[in-house]
Amino acid sequence: MRRSQVVLALTTLLAGLLVALAPTVPAQADGPGSGAPWVVTLGDSYISGEAGRWAGNSNASSSRADALGPTAYYDNASGTGEQINRCHRSKSAEAYLGGGVNGLDLACSGATTATSNGSDFKPGLDFYDDGAGHQGQAKMLQGFAAGHNVKMVVVSIGGNDFNFGSIVTTCVEDFLGSPSWWKDYCNDDSSVAANVASVRARIAAAFQNVRTAMRNAGYADSAWTMLVQTYPSPIPTSTGFRYSQSGYTRQSTGGCGFWNADADWANSTALPTINNTVKGALTDSGLVNGKVLDLSSAFNGRRLCENTVGLYEEKGIASWTSPGAVDNTEWINQIRTVSTCCSNSPYYLQESLHPNYWAQLATRSCVRQAYNAGTPRGGTCRISGTGLVNGEPRMSLS
């Protein structure tokens, strides 16, 4: 062999040996700052996906509004049931932005800031861990974020700490149980104003738990954003109802049994009090990476019993897939009683007065706009037009 050929052969052999002897470097695993981006949602029923099965309301046939069917809340790995009973994490929940951004829904219907373990386990925004698979949402977030690239955490919490469900129940009971000439109002029974300071402190601590979870998972505060969403108005003010408060039609037909004065109070006092408490808690928490998604008027014009929309049979619309359904039907589920819910019915009581399929897709659009291609921002979410864009209502974030 020529000298040059010998040199080339030895060089090739040496290079091969070096490659063989070099340590194998595994591909970098997903984790803080590495891998596909994720958005994680935490909190209560207003973000978990409660009522996400239904697109509008009908007293004639539930099938008209049944967008997702009986498996709407099945979120376990095999798709055969719920991971946590009655958390109602629906397939239409806002966590699932798409477009290369992965979503995880850890929220749970009925959750408060603290975990409760009663007839149904309700994980709060804490580090509860009983060693038997029951964990708080902060604990779940910490474990997940350590192995995934979480860029934004969206939180809805506080409504249940104010006992919002009990307030609604009292309002409907007062409407059904008192005559129009001697009205019994729920607004003078409510303890919303009295609970502000204690609830605000609990919410602030919950936000700090989220920050601690992310820090424990290896994130700098600047590496992710917490998007705190406020609560939307579910019913109109007194002048916006399409049913009179005289008689029982407002509840028996519309499923919105509020006296006018209570509806006005809910919009002018109760909702602002709750939302201001949530925003104040974010300030108190000291988080430097928190932003606010204002949903307070996001569904105005499509609210329960509002005179701009109606039941499917009132509007002559065949089903949720019909043209114009999204613009002419309600985005909030009816308030149901035992007689209209549970006997041979596909409805759950806990779905009452929650954003439905349309509303959840609308919120998803605003969350996607807030994600802002990885540079998150806050803003106010509103309806911006009619029809659907890529299957979602037209929404804007300003």
Side-chain angles (χ1 to χ4, degrees), residues 18 34 51 69 78 95 109 148 157-158 169 189 194 199 223 248 255 260 273-274 308-309 335 341 367:
L18 290 173
S34 177
S78 60
S109 182
H148 300 81
I157 200 69
T169 299
D189 301 325
V199 172
Y248 297 104
N260 284 343
T273 296
I274 294 172
T308 48
V309 286
I335 302 169
C341 163
V367 171

Side-chain angles (χ1 to χ4, degrees), residues 193-224:
N195 292 333
V196 169
S198 60
V199 172
R200 179 165 168 162
R202 294 201 296 271
I203 298 173
F207 292 157
Q208 291 168 340
N209 284 344
V210 175
R211 179 179 61 191
T212 298
M214 294 297 284
R215 286 177 175 177
N216 289 347
Y219 290 76
D221 293 348
S222 59
W224 65 284

Side-chain angles (χ1 to χ4, degrees), residues 45-114:
S45 56
Y46 270 70
I47 195 170
S48 73
E50 183 69 79
R53 175 177 178 176
W54 309 104
N57 295 302
S58 171
N59 293 333
S61 172
S62 61
S63 62
R64 287 183 168 183
D66 197 352
L68 295 180
T71 65
Y73 304 123
Y74 288 3
D75 69 328
N76 64 14
S78 60
T80 57
E82 291 192 87
Q83 293 187 65
I84 303 175
N85 190 43
R86 295 295 184 91
C87 276
H88 281 189
R89 298 164 176 164
S90 74
K91 297 177 177 67
S92 60
E94 63 192 69
Y96 312 116
L97 304 187
V101 181
N102 298 310
L104 177 67
D105 185 1
L106 295 178
C108 186
S109 182
T112 61
T113 50

Side-chain angles (χ1 to χ4, degrees), residues 57 242-243 306 308-312 314-315 328-330:
N57 295 302
R242 64 178 184 270
Y243 307 112
E306 201 156 13
T308 48
V309 286
L311 304 175
Y312 278 92
E314 291 173 340
K315 289 295 184 178
N328 294 286
T329 60
E330 297 158 317

Side-chain angles (χ1 to χ4, degrees), residues 125-149:
L125 270 65
D126 56 20
F127 294 92
Y128 178 91
D129 191 341
D130 65 359
H134 293 121
Q135 295 183 339
Q137 293 182 46
K139 181 73 172 180
M140 287 188 277
L141 172 65
Q142 179 176 308
F144 181 82
H148 300 81
N149 185 19

Side-chain angles (χ1 to χ4, degrees), residues 261-282:
D262 285 338
D264 289 341
W265 166 80
N267 279 286
S268 65
T269 301
L271 183 67
T273 296
I274 294 172
N275 284 342
N276 287 336
T277 300
V278 171
K279 290 184 285 188
L282 178 58

